[in-house]
């Protein structure tokens, strides 16, 4: 039997997602220990102690299905953002929400405008629905919202703004977003993916939630507990939008998409503002350390508003990668973003950043010396 003849044709154009290499895999393959992963933009502080305690409390209740409506989590988010709970949706990571949005709005042939390079899940969700990606190159590593607006046609359904952008860490400003929204026609849904918004220091960063609060029906704001809240392993993300929009998206959702531990830990983490503050401070210190290290080596980098950064290492990142791996440091190579001489690096703790530079110096010595 030829299985390929049975599957939907559009799947042939898709490749399975290749995640950052897990620590255990590297340790197993290379027979080394003490590996550090600076590849997936995780929070090096780990989760809030309050979130861990909430997980423990919930563990013994694992035989009971979770609350499919995420009542307590929505309630806490609603309080924090000053919206009512019907403006909220919760997903198994914001990855799931991206997929649900695509399933809700896209049919074959529809167009989706997105920046390039940006977060790969926009491509995945679009292709999954047999819709068409309209890629708009970044301008100076930043979304070109003018050009993105110019690419809207009658067939456009969705437009993604990744802010800060993964993999560059750059942001678009409030003024740029205002101009974009003024141009977007009614048949286009604009999705602001703000997975890293808590890290942003730029005073011109837009408060996109205000559009939702003002009643806009063509704006969805996506956020996550995977980054600053350090709960990536639990898989929980959330979105804010007009209740009418969420009512449609909710039809595509599995009944129990967010597990009980994730719900309890997310509530506890939201209540621990000290952990969020400590994470931002650690990130700012780490950022300064990395900037300095790259400058000392005469390497260019893209100033970042997130917990990761793009740096130009001046050699093929694909060749550099295994050498860094041998030193126990996992990074993301730039070739997957079309930037072969760059690496994307998660901002780590001081000692992790130091280990990265030591590994980098040694690897570059081997490559160029
Ligand atoms: C821009 C962006 N959006 C969404 C996600 C997915 O986050 P989650 O873990 O909530 O699925 C990521 C993860 O790396 C991301 O970088």
């Amino acid at each position: 039997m030829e299985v390929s003849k049975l599957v939907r044709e559009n799947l042939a154009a898709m490749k399975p997602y290749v995640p950052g290499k897990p620590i255990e895999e590297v340790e197993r393959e290379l027979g080394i220990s003490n590996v550090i992963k600076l590849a997936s933009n995780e929070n090096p502080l780990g989760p809030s102690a309050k979130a861990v305690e909430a997980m423990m409390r919930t563990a013994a209740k694992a035989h009971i299905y979770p609350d499919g409506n995420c009542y307590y989590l929505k309630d806490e988010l609603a309080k924090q953002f000053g919206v009512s709970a019907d403006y909220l949706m919760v997903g198994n990571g914001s990855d799931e929400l991206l997929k649900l949005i695509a399933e809700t709005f896209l049919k074959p042939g529809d167009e989706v405008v997105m920046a390039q390079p940006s977060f790969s899940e926009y491509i995945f969700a679009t292709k999954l629905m047999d819709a068409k990606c309209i890629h708009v190159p970044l301008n100076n590593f930043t979304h070109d919202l003018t050009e993105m607006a110019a690419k809207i046609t009658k067939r456009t359904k969705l437009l993604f703004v990744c802010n800060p952008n993964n993999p560059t860490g750059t942001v678009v400003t409030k003024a740029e977003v205002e101009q974009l929204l003024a141009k977007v026609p009614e048949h286009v849904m604009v999705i602001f993916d703000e997975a890293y918004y808590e890290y942003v220091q730029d005073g011109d960063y837009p408060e996109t939630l205000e559009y939702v609060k003002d009643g806009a029906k063509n704006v969805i704001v996506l956020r996550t507990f995977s980054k600053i809240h350090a709960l990536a392993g639990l898989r929980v993300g959330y979105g804010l939008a007009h209740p009418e929009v969420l009512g449609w998206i909710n039809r595509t959702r599995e009944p129990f998409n967010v597990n009980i531990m994730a719900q309890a830990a997310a509530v506890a983490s939201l209540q621990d503002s000290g952990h969020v503050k400590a994470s931002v401070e650690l990130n700012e210190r780490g950022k300064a350390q990395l900037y300095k290290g790259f400058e000392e080596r005469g390497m260019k980098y893209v100033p970042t508003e997130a917990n990761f950064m793009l740096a130009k290492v001046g050699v093929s990142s694909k060749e550099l990668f295994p050498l860094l791996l041998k030193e126990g440091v996992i990074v993301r190579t730039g070739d997957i973003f079309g930037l072969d001489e760059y690496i994307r690096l998660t901002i780590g703790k001081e000692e992790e950043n130091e280990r990265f530079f030591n590994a980098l110096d040694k690897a570059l010595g081997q490559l160029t010396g």
Side-chain angles (χ1 to χ4, degrees):
M1 184 172 100
E2 273 196 69
V3 181
S4 63
K5 288 199 173 137
L6 284 180
V7 300
R8 291 194 293 134
E9 275 170 27
N10 57 314
L11 296 191
M14 297 177 67
K15 290 194 194 104
Y17 180 76
V18 183
K21 236 174 160 27
I23 289 178
E24 293 76 10
E25 188 178 311
V26 175
E27 293 186 341
R28 215 170 41 237
E29 284 175 0
L30 297 180
I32 54 176
S33 57
N34 213 8
V35 167
I36 56 168
K37 183 174 169 214
L38 300 174
S40 300
N41 313 336
E42 292 141 340
N43 181 344
L45 264 193
S48 143
K50 289 178 181 154
V52 175
E53 200 223 318
M55 286 180 230
M56 308 288 242
R57 257 191 285 120
T58 339
K61 294 185 192 153
H63 58 303
I64 307 287
Y65 280 103
D67 170 10
N69 184 37
C70 297
Y71 176 85
Y72 291 106
L73 177 51
K74 282 188 187 170
D75 189 52
E76 189 59 35
L77 286 164
K79 267 191 231 149
Q80 298 232 347
F81 295 123
V83 294
S84 63
D86 55 352
Y87 278 73
L88 282 153
M89 61 176 167
V90 188
N92 186 35
S94 45
D95 278 349
E96 187 199 21
L97 297 177
L98 288 166
K99 192 169 161 222
L100 299 187
I101 290 168
E103 286 170 345
T104 305
F105 294 105
L106 298 179
K107 61 180 189 316
D110 282 346
E111 294 178 358
V112 179
V113 178
M114 62 189 79
Q116 189 173 41
S118 192
F119 186 46
S120 61
E121 288 296 291
Y122 312 147
I123 302 176
F124 160 74
T126 304
K127 288 190 170 173
L128 186 65
M129 302 312 295
D130 205 5
K132 197 172 159 200
C133 298
I134 306 296
H135 297 288
V136 179
L138 298 177
N139 183 359
N140 194 21
F141 297 100
T142 311
H143 277 57
D144 185 343
L145 294 189
T146 310
E147 199 48 34
M148 287 175 78
K151 286 284 184 289
I152 293 174
T153 69
K154 279 191 199 133
R155 309 199 74 164
T156 309
K157 275 280 185 64
L158 306 177
L159 185 150
F160 284 104
V161 180
C162 187
N163 202 30
N165 186 43
N166 178 4
T168 55
T170 52
V171 290
V172 287
T173 63
K174 182 173 188 261
E176 288 166 320
V177 166
E178 297 270 314
Q179 280 169 22
L180 169 76
L181 291 179
K183 288 180 211 159
V184 171
E186 277 211 327
H187 64 275
V188 178
M189 186 66 77
V190 181
I191 298 112
F192 293 99
D193 181 352
E194 300 180 349
Y196 304 93
Y197 90 98
E198 297 97 333
Y199 288 107
V200 174
Q201 301 294 310
D202 188 333
D204 292 327
Y205 186 68
E207 280 284 345
T208 51
L209 188 50
E210 293 303 318
Y211 303 119
V212 175
K213 285 187 187 174
D214 286 348
K217 288 188 185 172
N218 66 340
V219 171
I220 301 174
V221 179
L222 292 182
R223 293 175 178 174
T224 181
F225 285 91
S226 297
K227 305 303 174 183
I228 209 146
H229 289 283
L231 298 175
L234 291 186
R235 312 304 300 125
V236 52
Y238 60 99
L240 296 121
H242 191 279
E244 193 182 328
V245 175
L246 297 186
W248 289 105
I249 299 174
N250 204 26
R251 294 181 185 217
T252 64
R253 187 176 65 81
E254 297 287 341
F256 305 110
N257 60 331
V258 184
N259 71 74
I260 50 167
M261 270 197 184
Q263 293 189 35
V267 171
S269 196
L270 279 173
Q271 291 167 345
D272 191 353
S273 57
H275 182 265
V276 171
K277 189 162 171 272
S279 303
V280 173
E281 285 168 2
L282 179 77
N283 196 59
E284 284 302 297
R285 287 198 301 276
K287 194 193 286 185
Q289 183 190 359
L290 290 179
Y291 284 1
K292 186 161 170 274
F294 286 120
E295 282 159 19
E296 282 168 358
R297 287 162 181 79
M299 289 176 182
K300 286 194 180 144
Y301 58 83
V302 181
T304 182
E305 294 291 329
N307 70 339
F308 58 87
M309 62 182 294
L310 207 57
K312 190 169 186 188
V313 284
V315 294
S316 157
S317 56
K318 260 165 112 173
E319 286 176 32
L320 182 68
F321 181 78
L323 299 177
L324 290 178
L325 220 52
K326 266 205 320 213
E327 299 304 314
V329 179
I330 317 173
V331 301
R332 206 73 159 133
T333 56
D335 60 313
I336 49 173
F337 312 117
L339 296 161
D340 187 40
E341 291 201 347
Y342 287 78
I343 55 168
R344 192 195 67 196
L345 186 69
T346 306
I347 299 173
K349 289 182 182 166
E350 187 179 354
E351 60 274 21
E352 293 173 328
N353 299 333
E354 233 169 69
R355 253 190 81 187
F356 159 73
F357 279 123
N358 289 338
L360 179 68
D361 290 342
K362 200 164 163 190
L364 286 177
Q366 284 166 9
L367 274 181
T368 56

